Amino acid sequence: MAVNSQTSMVLSLLLTVGLFAGLQLLKPQLTASPLLTVVTGGVCSLLFLLLVTAVGNLEATLFGKGFQTKLLEVVLCLAMACTAAGMIHRVCITVCFIFSLAVLYYMNQLSQATYGAPVAVQPAPSKKRR
């Protein structure tokens, strides 16, 4: 079930705050093993996803449906997610950055498939000899 931009923004912000608080509460357990450190970097990339969603929905609410999230907002969300990852462990920053780039790529693909303009395919000209 789809929700409007305002509701999605509020839900994204609540999930972001809850995820950040959970990461901070579980910090000693998450740094106990190298595998959990990598998993924590992946979870911080979900934090990036939620932040981009919240910012995009805030802009859609304020400026209208046609407004697109710009590169600056995405970079700021990435910096915030990597900062949150850095509060857990240094390795989490690298993992968060790599996973966030993958998340950004797939978000772009999904956005293009959903909102992109259809491309008209023109037939290739045939080479006929007269």
Side-chain angles (χ1 to χ4, degrees), residues 20-60:
F20 180 75
L23 287 170
Q24 291 301 312
L25 287 173
L26 296 173
K27 182 178 178 178
Q29 291 85 6
L30 295 174
T31 58
S33 73
L35 179 63
L36 283 176
T37 304
V38 172
V39 169
T40 304
V43 171
C44 287
S45 70
L46 293 176
L47 193 67
F48 167 72
L49 172 72
L50 292 170
L51 283 169
V52 169
T53 303
V55 168
N57 286 320
L58 175 65
E59 290 174 344

Side-chain angles (χ1 to χ4, degrees), residues 4-16:
N4 61 13
S5 295
Q6 293 173 341
T7 307
S8 179
M9 178 189 62
V10 170
L11 288 174
S12 295
L13 285 176
L14 287 174
L15 287 171
T16 300

Side-chain angles (χ1 to χ4, degrees), residues 41-49 52 74 77-79 81-82 85 92-107:
V43 171
C44 287
S45 70
L46 293 176
L47 193 67
F48 167 72
L49 172 72
V52 169
V74 173
C77 291
L78 182 61
C82 287
C92 294
I93 298 172
T94 306
V95 175
C96 175
F97 182 76
I98 293 169
F99 284 5
S100 294
L101 291 180
V103 165
L104 188 62
Y105 173 77
Y106 286 110
M107 281 175 51

